[in-house]
Structure formats: C-alpha cells, structure tokens
Amino acid sequence: MRAQSSATTASPIAVATPGPERPGFGTLQAALGVVAFSLTFPATAWGLEGFGPWSLVAVRSVLAAVIAGTALLLLRVPPPARRHWPGLAVVGAGVVLGFPLLTTLALETSTTAHAAVVVGLLPLTTALLSALRVGTRPSRTFWIAACAGAAAVLAFTAQQSGRALTTADLYLFAALLVCAAGYTEGGRLARVMPGWQVIGWALVLCLPLTVPVAALALTQEPVRLTAHSVTGLLWVAAGSQFVGLVVWYRGMAAIGIPKASQLQLAQPLLTLVWSVLLLGEHLTVAAPLTAAAVLVCIAVTQRSRG
C-alpha cells in the first residue's frame, strides 16, 4: 500500500519510507539474512545430488515466487509504481536469476568452501556499487577495513586454489558483480517499500522466464528425489531466495548498504562451518586465521562513520 501511495504524492520517499527502526534491530535483521545465505552453498550442493543445475535454479525461483506471490495476494499488496519496475528488474536479474545460476554452475566443479571464500568479496563489491549508484560516501576507515577484509579473503582463496584461476572461479566472479548490483538496487528500493515486497515483486517479475525454463530443464536433466536433494531445494527456495532476502533488505534499509554489506564478510566463514558439518569437507589451518582477520574487519566497519 505504501508503494501505491508513493505514486500519487509529490514526496514519495517521505510517504513510502518504512517507519524508523533501531539500528541494532536493523543489524540483527541483516545478520539473520547472512546466516540464511551462508547455508545456500551447502543446500545447493545437496540439491545438485538430485537435480541438474538449470532445473535446480529454475525450480527454486518458481517455488520462491509462489510463496512471495501468495503473500502479496493474501495481503492485497498493490503493484509498485511504474518507476520502480526497472529497479526490480535489476534485483530479479541479479539475485533471482544471475547469482543462483552462476554459483550453481560453479559448484558443479568447486567445493562449497572454495566458493564461499571467493564470494567473500561480495561485501566490498556491493559497497563499491553502492557508492556509484546511490552516492554513499563511507569514511576512509571504513574503506581501509573493507579492503583489508577483502585482501584476507583473496589470500585465503589463492592459498586454497593453488593460485590457478578455474572456470568455477570465473562463474563466481561474475556472480559477485550481478549479485552486488541486485543487492544495491534492492537496498535502494527497500527505502521506499517494504523489503519483502522488493524481493517478492522481483520473483514474480521473473516468472514468465523461470516457469518455461523449469518445465524444459526438468525434461532434459535427470531428477532423483532424495532427502538431501529435496531439503536442499526447499531451503534455497524458501530460506535463501525469499525469507533471507526479506530480512536482508530490511536490514540494509535500516543501517545502510555499505555497513550491511560488511556483515557478509562473516558469510564465507559460516559457510565453511556448514561445509564441514553438513558435507564433510576438510578445511586447512588457514581457515581460522582468515576468520579472525575478517571478524576484526567487521568490527571496524560497523563502528566507522560515513
């Protein structure tokens, strides 16, 4: 309803901006989003045990769109103003289609631990795009800490991969760019409409593409329903693709895109834990060292002022 009223007033942001939230609550919501996202790669690895990459990505998007569309219908949420649809298209292209597909293709040949540390560069990428797109100007201390965290992630990645760039790495670096664009645009839109509506409408917007792709992929790729594959599919659809993004966008709107993005420095470390607990992967000694360095960077970025 806020999006509808913004289309008919002279000051849309003043009317449509969600009510003020305590910064601590915004940080909590963004952190919950990070926890949800940290399970995405292990859940995707489970899903790939029973689905092909195209089937998994398309079906997860359709299921998430059904959840979001049902919520939009039940709450009788009117469509967003016309000027918001281009931004929603960017969100859809980045976080609904691009990032899931590229990372799923990467995980066919990469371990979840390796993929997690490469995607650890996402916070810095998001902060850079945010500065270009919405004009945010974080402090010098913020940038030093952010770059230090990214350097720690890069060093860990290089050590793990033997300094060789693989096809999976190319998929992951491309995923960084499209996801950062989707996060930045979604965070901007979440200032003028509720965060859950941002991802909800983006998912619905992608349905004309995801439904036929899902139908085609399911006929071309083998499907084997197991406890792991079904659980993985359900998590990436409901947890990663919808609920996680709802709290993530709300958190970004409350505390700002740059600071929220730096919370994601913890995401690869959480994913490393899940990869050991859920997938039985083995980590090197470098993992806890990287964890300590990254957590220090998070503390600095959260205390810095733009």
Side-chain angles (χ1 to χ4, degrees):
M1 293 179 70
R2 288 172 176 168
Q4 183 185 48
S5 53
S6 69
T8 60
T9 61
S11 180
I13 294 181
V15 174
T17 301
E21 293 179 347
R22 291 170 296 174
F25 187 56
T27 300
L28 175 61
Q29 290 182 98
L32 288 175
V34 170
V35 173
F37 299 153
S38 71
L39 283 161
T40 300
F41 286 175
T44 299
W46 276 5
L48 286 172
E49 293 179 12
F51 297 90
W54 290 89
S55 300
L56 182 61
V57 173
V59 172
R60 72 179 267 184
S61 297
V62 171
L63 290 178
V66 170
I67 297 171
T70 301
L72 291 168
L73 284 174
L74 290 177
L75 296 176
R76 299 180 179 180
V77 178
R82 182 178 300 178
R83 65 180 177 277
H84 296 322
W85 284 106
L88 291 170
V90 174
V91 175
V95 302
V96 176
L97 301 176
F99 185 79
L101 178 60
L102 291 166
T103 53
T104 299
L105 291 173
L107 286 171
E108 286 196 294
T109 56
S110 171
T111 64
T112 60
H114 180 79
V117 291
V118 174
V119 174
L121 293 175
L122 184 57
L124 182 58
T125 309
T126 303
L128 287 170
L129 289 183
S130 171
L132 294 173
R133 178 67 178 90
V134 299
T136 54
R137 294 293 182 268
S139 67
R140 180 179 300 178
T141 301
F142 176 95
W143 285 115
I144 292 173
C147 289
V153 170
L154 280 173
F156 183 83
T157 304
Q159 188 269 337
Q160 290 289 299
S161 62
R163 302 181 186 277
L165 193 65
T166 65
T167 301
D169 290 324
L170 296 178
Y171 282 135
L172 291 169
F173 286 130
L176 285 176
L177 294 175
V178 298
C179 189
Y183 279 174
T184 299
E185 200 65 21
R188 185 185 68 83
L189 288 171
R191 295 176 178 177
V192 296
M193 69 174 72
W196 76 272
Q197 293 182 24
V198 174
I199 186 57
W201 287 115
L203 285 163
V204 171
L205 182 64
C206 292
L207 273 176
L209 179 61
T210 55
V211 168
V213 170
L216 178 62
L218 287 173
T219 63
Q220 299 298 316
E221 295 177 335
V223 174
R224 186 166 60 92
L225 299 181
T226 64
H228 273 185
S229 64
V230 173
T231 301
L233 172 62
L234 292 177
W235 177 258
V236 294
S240 303
Q241 195 87 71
F242 185 64
V243 176
L245 284 167
V246 168
V247 293
W248 173 244
Y249 281 141
R250 286 181 61 87
M252 280 200 294
I255 66 176
I257 296 172
K259 283 195 173 184
S261 70
Q262 296 313 301
L263 289 174
Q264 279 200 303
L265 284 170
Q267 184 175 324
L269 309 174
L270 290 171
T271 300
L272 292 177
V273 173
W274 302 132
S275 70
V276 172
L277 296 179
L278 301 178
L279 303 176
E281 295 183 2
H282 299 285
L283 305 180
T284 65
V285 175
L289 297 178
T290 306
V294 167
L295 289 175
V296 169
C297 293
I298 292 175
V300 173
T301 58
Q302 293 305 298
R303 290 180 177 274
S304 67
R305 296 181 183 274

